[in-house]
Amino acid sequence: ILAALALCTKKQRERFLLHALYDLSFEEVGEICGCSKQAVEWSMKGVRKKFLKFFTFHAIKRISFALSKYKTKQTNQRRNFL
């Protein structure tokens, strides 16, 4: 999660953490940060997009790695069979 948060802007991180860790509403986060509720909503959308992109990339990377190991294992088993 920290690696995904590192991709966010400082404002996005601040707003996300206030909302997620302290369970503050978007209005409350806006009051603390000196911005509108809509600005907080935009930040949350940006964070969600970055999280989705980050975790999708890493999930695909893990699946690809697992498939390559599986294919190598299958190839080796066929060689040993012959």
Side-chain angles (χ1 to χ4, degrees), residues 22-71:
Y22 298 105
D23 200 29
L24 298 176
S25 68
F26 290 172
E27 293 92 2
E28 293 169 321
V29 172
E31 288 175 19
I32 291 170
C33 295
C35 63
S36 67
K37 174 186 171 186
Q38 189 175 23
V40 176
E41 289 172 352
W42 289 338
S43 289
M44 294 298 118
K45 286 181 184 179
V47 170
R48 283 187 201 110
K49 284 183 181 180
K50 289 178 183 178
F51 268 51
L52 183 62
K53 197 176 214 179
F54 179 84
F55 288 111
T56 301
F57 171 78
H58 286 283
I60 290 170
K61 196 172 169 183
R62 284 185 172 197
I63 291 168
S64 296
F65 178 74
L67 285 174
S68 68
K69 286 185 81 173
Y70 175 77
K71 287 179 183 179

Side-chain angles (χ1 to χ4, degrees), residues 5 36-37 73-74 78:
L5 276 175
S36 67
K37 174 186 171 186
K73 184 178 179 181
Q74 293 295 343
R78 279 191 223 125

